[in-house]
Amino acid sequence: MVIEIVKGFLQSTGFAAITGGQIIMLLISFGLLYLAIKKGFEPLLLVPIAFGMLLANLPLAGLTAEPVVEIVKDPITGKLVSKTKEFGGLLYYLYQGVELGIYPPLIFLGIGAMTDFGPLIANPSSILLGAAAQLGIFITFIGAIALDFTGPESASIGIIGGANGPAALYLCSKLAPHLLGPIAIAAYSYMALVPIIQPPIMKALTTKEERKVVMKQLRPVSKKEKIIFPIMVTVISTLLIPSAGPLVGVLMFGNLIRECGVVERLSQTIQNELMNIVTIFLGTTIGATAKAETFISGSTLKIIGLGLIAFALGTVGGVLFGKIMCKLTKGKVNPLIGAAGVSAVPMSARVVQKMGQEEDPGNFLLMHAMGPNVAGAIGSAVAAGLLLTFFGG
Amino acid sequence: MGKDISIVDSLIISLVSMVAVFVVLAIIYYLVDLLKIVASKKNEKTEEPIVKEDLEDEELVAVIAAALAVSLGVSIPEVNIKSIKRISSTASRWAEVGRREQTTGKL
């Protein structure tokens, strides 16, 4: 009798139900937590992601369970009505924000409110570097097709190369939701690894003289320009590529709130509270998509490999275009700033600044790199919109 | 567009998209360039502060002339200043702060 009760209890615990795959995922989440807490690697994102992963891979807790709805006959009226049998877990509901494409535009809103487009307005030609760095997206897209991924899947994998987390999530949730886990984790981890991935590529593609180029100081940008800019970009880009509207439009909306100067309270809320709340929900639920059943597979490894290629090629595209601009302007543009064309704001701009100073300690490239950097955010949102136009229908 | 597409299709899509990204951003580039003209036209009124800056510059020249005269041990009219150029400092911020602390400590 006692033995049976103990046995029953033991079988109801997670220990009896845990699978090998789940144990591996738990170990990965411990590793990520270690990196985030002890090593300080992107803790704002990695702590929620790692803990979401931890929660989703503990068996029987049902945090990610879907609600179960039954169609039953109402005993009184005799009509068929739907009745919720199980309500589903917390993370299931939070996840709807990813699946329905709600969080990524909200994050874009926050990025818009935190971004100063001044360097871009002062030096508009740097916007082309933000276009060139999207090269990685499309080459990786071809590579993924060659590796037998379907069209929508390949598009979602390629977009990792935009180094733009929310754009990648948005596209992936629309085109290939079953790959969200690996793609989100690849995109966000490579963004954290920008200071390691980019410098060798930048060094290999440029000469010492090119890295030493000092750029002219940017002109001051008037408030009027800063206010017209977001309105103009929204109208133009949404008319040209309507499916880029949700991302570019919201990014520019956030920026207008920041620059117009009459809604300071809204601007503060978007930059701080709203952004933090969405980051918590987003991080936890992305982590929770990394369930052992779907995560541990050959395609995850392929995605992680392709994602790295996408990132590297984006950097290559940006730097090469930077070299072209350097030639055309007779040495007025430092090609290093092209590397900042992959968005990853502001990390890649900082990498450029650091590399420039290694060659010449008096060279300040940060503000020049911010131009292509914020252009990259627009560029990758446009690229996501285009891919959505091709595969969304 | 179907789900399974060939490499050729993907090449075409990539090429079209890459060109489209360039076109959209190039249009924004030209419009932002136009923006500069519009904005600078209406900002012509801001001449006053520039004049003020000139005055401050004269003051600065006077200060520098006086400082030179003292350190060279000559009277001010004997100091001929042809041009004053600001040299961008190559020292790091830390070194600058350190130097400033040193000098203020000795005062």
Side-chain angles (χ1 to χ4, degrees):
Chain A
M1 181 64 186
V2 177
I3 295 171
E4 261 171 40
I5 291 172
V6 171
K7 220 177 181 178
F9 172 71
L10 283 180
Q11 268 164 0
S12 77
T13 65
F15 287 108
I18 200 161
T19 64
Q22 283 168 332
I23 293 174
I24 294 175
M25 294 308 289
L26 286 179
L27 291 176
I28 294 178
S29 76
F30 297 157
L32 290 178
L33 281 173
Y34 173 79
L35 285 179
I37 298 168
K38 182 83 183 173
K39 299 276 176 189
F41 252 51
E42 289 281 297
L44 287 177
L45 267 171
L46 216 47
V47 169
I49 289 180
F51 211 80
M53 205 187 236
L54 176 85
L55 287 174
N57 287 293
L58 289 169
L60 308 177
L63 272 160
T64 55
E66 291 180 25
V68 180
V69 179
E70 257 187 346
I71 306 286
V72 289
K73 206 173 225 173
D74 193 303
I76 302 161
T77 59
K79 278 183 189 158
L80 288 175
V81 288
S82 66
K83 184 168 169 268
T84 310
K85 222 171 133 195
E86 287 166 29
F87 283 97
L90 170 69
L91 290 180
Y92 167 80
Y93 289 101
L94 292 183
Y95 183 64
Q96 297 310 303
V98 176
E99 192 156 278
L100 303 175
I102 296 168
Y103 298 150
L106 287 180
I107 295 275
F108 254 67
L109 185 72
I111 295 175
M114 293 200 279
T115 305
D116 176 10
F117 282 98
L120 184 65
I121 303 171
N123 182 15
S125 62
S126 65
I127 200 170
L128 295 177
L129 290 167
Q134 309 311 321
L135 180 75
I137 295 180
F138 297 111
I139 295 187
T140 312
F141 165 71
I142 300 169
I145 294 280
L147 282 175
D148 281 340
F149 283 102
T150 67
E153 284 172 353
S154 306
S156 311
I157 296 168
I159 200 77
I160 298 174
N164 187 333
L169 281 179
Y170 185 75
L171 190 69
C172 188
S173 68
K174 300 266 175 203
L175 295 184
H178 57 286
L179 293 180
L180 250 170
I183 286 181
I185 286 167
Y188 278 102
S189 12
Y190 287 138
M191 267 163 66
L193 292 176
V194 157
I196 299 167
I197 298 172
Q198 286 200 316
I201 300 169
M202 291 154 73
K203 214 159 216 169
L205 289 175
T206 52
T207 63
K208 212 172 171 64
E209 280 67 43
E210 282 171 334
R211 288 197 293 273
K212 274 188 178 164
V213 170
V214 177
M215 292 179 72
K216 212 175 79 198
Q217 201 178 354
L218 293 172
R219 71 176 174 90
V221 175
S222 70
K223 194 181 167 194
K224 199 178 284 159
E225 286 172 278
K226 283 189 173 175
I227 292 176
I228 298 173
F229 178 78
I231 302 171
M232 191 179 81
V233 172
T234 309
V235 173
I236 298 299
S237 55
T238 314
L239 282 178
L240 285 170
I241 320 266
S243 48
L247 293 178
V248 179
V250 164
L251 179 76
M252 291 300 148
F253 175 44
N255 189 246
L256 181 64
I257 286 178
R258 168 202 174 93
E259 300 295 356
C260 70
V262 288
V263 283
E264 187 54 30
R265 281 169 47 189
L266 300 190
S267 170
Q268 287 304 322
T269 305
I270 292 173
Q271 289 182 37
N272 300 301
E273 290 84 352
L274 183 67
M275 189 75 168
N276 290 344
I277 291 169
V278 179
T279 305
I280 294 169
F281 289 169
L282 186 71
T284 329
T285 47
I286 292 172
T289 54
K291 281 185 162 178
E293 306 93 274
T294 52
F295 198 81
I296 299 178
S297 72
S299 62
T300 300
L301 283 179
K302 282 188 204 160
I303 289 169
I304 289 179
L306 283 166
L308 181 61
I309 294 171
F311 242 80
L313 287 177
T315 310
V316 170
V319 175
L320 287 183
F321 200 79
K323 281 173 83 99
I324 296 175
M325 283 178 74
C326 180
K327 288 262 153 61
L328 289 180
T329 57
K330 299 198 177 66
K332 279 187 190 145
V333 173
N334 189 321
L336 286 181
I337 65 167
V342 302
S343 37
V345 184
M347 200 112 56
S348 50
R350 274 195 221 134
V351 171
V352 172
Q353 160 77 4
K354 224 177 123 202
M355 279 202 77
Q357 284 206 320
E358 269 170 26
E359 298 297 337
D360 175 2
N363 200 358
F364 292 93
L365 290 174
L366 186 65
M367 284 327 267
H368 298 284
M370 280 313 280
N373 212 184
V374 294
I378 303 175
S380 49
V382 172
L386 278 165
L387 289 169
L388 202 57
T389 317
F390 280 119
F391 296 106
Chain B
M1 192 62 67
K3 281 211 161 201
D4 287 303
I5 59 171
S6 67
I7 300 253
V8 182
D9 290 335
S10 72
L11 273 170
I12 296 168
I13 291 177
S14 295
L15 209 68
V16 171
S17 310
M18 198 65 205
V19 171
V21 171
F22 259 104
V23 169
V24 173
L25 293 194
I27 292 173
I28 297 176
Y29 165 26
Y30 284 113
L31 287 172
V32 172
D33 232 18
L34 282 178
L35 200 63
K36 183 174 68 187
I37 301 164
V38 176
S40 62
K41 257 185 192 167
K42 288 177 185 168
N43 279 352
E44 274 169 8
K45 281 182 205 158
T46 52
E47 263 177 40
E48 262 178 73
I50 294 172
V51 177
K52 259 190 184 167
E53 261 173 39
D54 274 354
L55 279 178
E56 276 171 17
D57 267 4
E58 272 175 24
E59 241 169 70
L60 189 68
V61 173
V63 169
I64 291 174
L68 272 173
V70 171
S71 77
L72 295 172
V74 293
S75 64
I76 294 176
E78 278 173 65
V79 179
N80 255 334
I81 293 179
K82 277 186 185 160
S83 74
I84 297 171
K85 257 187 219 147
R86 185 184 291 278
I87 299 169
S88 61
S89 92
T90 47
S92 77
R93 282 284 138 81
W94 289 111
E96 251 180 70
V97 170
R99 204 168 298 142
R100 203 175 305 143
E101 267 173 5
Q102 285 285 331
T103 14
T104 47
K106 296 261 163 66
L107 285 175

